[in-house]
Amino acid sequence: MTHVALVTGGSRGLGRALTDGLVAAGWHVVTDGRHADALAAAARPWADSVTAIPGDLTDAAHRDQLVAAVRRLGRLDLLVHNAGVLGPASGSTRRRELVDVRPDDLQHVWRHNVGAPIVLTGLFLTDLAASGGTLLSISSDAALEHYEGWGLYGASKAALDHLTMTFAAENPGIRAYAVDPGDMRTRMHQEWFPGEDISDRPLPETVVPHLLALLERRPPSGRYRAADIAVAVPAAG
């Protein structure tokens, strides 16, 4: 039996690395991305193990495409909310004090980081319950900590955590996790710190073994830090 996952935002960063990891573990992955060229480039090595669908999760027609793709595969074992946006759509910088956030900035972040995940989870809840599956939301330390200029993004991640845990409380047949992956060397992170050297941050590939260990062990639903999820070390010799 091939397990099936839907990983949003698989064209780059942690979404792409997690898709790689799941495919290597024998899963079939449905994934998407807002930038068709980047998604097509990511999909080339995946061949028949990945169904890649370009589009924006805030678009109902795109969500319908994802539903159709999963239904053709006949099951869903894992839904990963990885796609998201960092901050305001307006202006030249992502970091913005709350007093400077405009209503369209709020709508942009909330639709991508909160609205799309809650609607997508609702669409697939029956599929996840049927397989005893897993809901995994990629969170951030900004959901708990209060950093200057991160208020809009952090609040959206706190809301995503809350929704994920509420889905767990309301659906005991599934497991639901909000996971803080820690800082990573990604394009999104670089956009937050333009011009800064972020080469000391770990690559997203280093987070994947921790997420796979979480999926294998399936502890109680809750919020976790990836760094706290132990990865088994193969015995020497």
Side-chain angles (χ1 to χ4, degrees):
M1 178 180 65
T2 300
H3 288 87
V4 175
L6 169 55
V7 179
T8 65
S11 63
R12 57 171 67 105
L14 181 58
R16 179 174 180 171
L18 180 57
T19 299
D20 285 339
L22 289 168
V23 168
W27 289 61
H28 185 100
V29 180
V30 178
T31 190
D32 73 344
R34 281 170 285 171
H35 304 286
D37 291 345
L39 184 63
R44 287 191 191 104
W46 293 330
D48 296 331
S49 296
V50 171
T51 303
I53 303 172
D56 190 318
L57 287 168
T58 64
D59 179 358
H62 174 60
R63 293 194 297 267
D64 288 344
Q65 289 180 308
L66 297 176
V67 170
V70 168
R71 298 282 155 73
R72 283 194 294 272
L73 293 165
R75 63 181 294 124
L76 184 67
D77 303 276
L78 170 66
L79 171 58
V80 182
H81 294 311
N82 169 71
V85 296
L86 266 181
S90 66
S92 58
T93 62
R94 294 291 181 262
R95 278 186 285 185
R96 193 87 50 87
E97 292 191 3
L98 288 177
V99 70
D100 297 321
V101 170
R102 303 185 336 193
D104 55 335
D105 299 326
L106 177 62
Q107 184 181 53
H108 175 73
V109 173
W110 232 251
R111 287 186 69 207
H112 283 89
N113 294 2
V114 182
I118 191 173
V119 172
L120 202 63
T121 304
L123 290 172
F124 288 112
L125 202 52
T126 301
D127 304 85
L128 287 176
S131 66
T134 301
L135 172 64
L136 169 59
S137 297
I138 302 302
S139 186
S140 167
D141 64 334
L144 302 179
E145 303 294 334
H146 306 104
Y147 303 118
E148 179 183 351
W150 290 65
L152 184 55
Y153 175 78
S156 73
K157 286 298 184 180
L160 180 60
D161 286 6
H162 187 93
L163 293 170
T164 302
M165 294 304 98
T166 302
F167 273 118
E170 294 175 347
N171 299 276
I174 69 170
R175 295 292 172 89
Y177 307 112
V179 176
D180 169 12
D183 285 348
M184 295 178 291
R185 197 189 317 166
T186 63
R187 176 171 169 169
M188 177 181 278
H189 200 82
Q190 186 69 75
E191 288 178 351
W192 203 259
F193 300 100
E196 290 190 24
D197 180 7
I198 64 167
S199 60
D200 60 332
R201 275 71 163 183
L203 290 170
E205 285 77 4
T206 63
V207 177
V208 173
H210 299 275
L211 298 180
L212 295 180
L214 177 76
L215 297 175
E216 181 178 352
R217 293 171 197 156
R218 305 193 83 228
S221 296
R223 189 181 195 279
Y224 294 85
R225 291 194 326 143
D228 294 334
I229 304 167
V231 175
V233 178

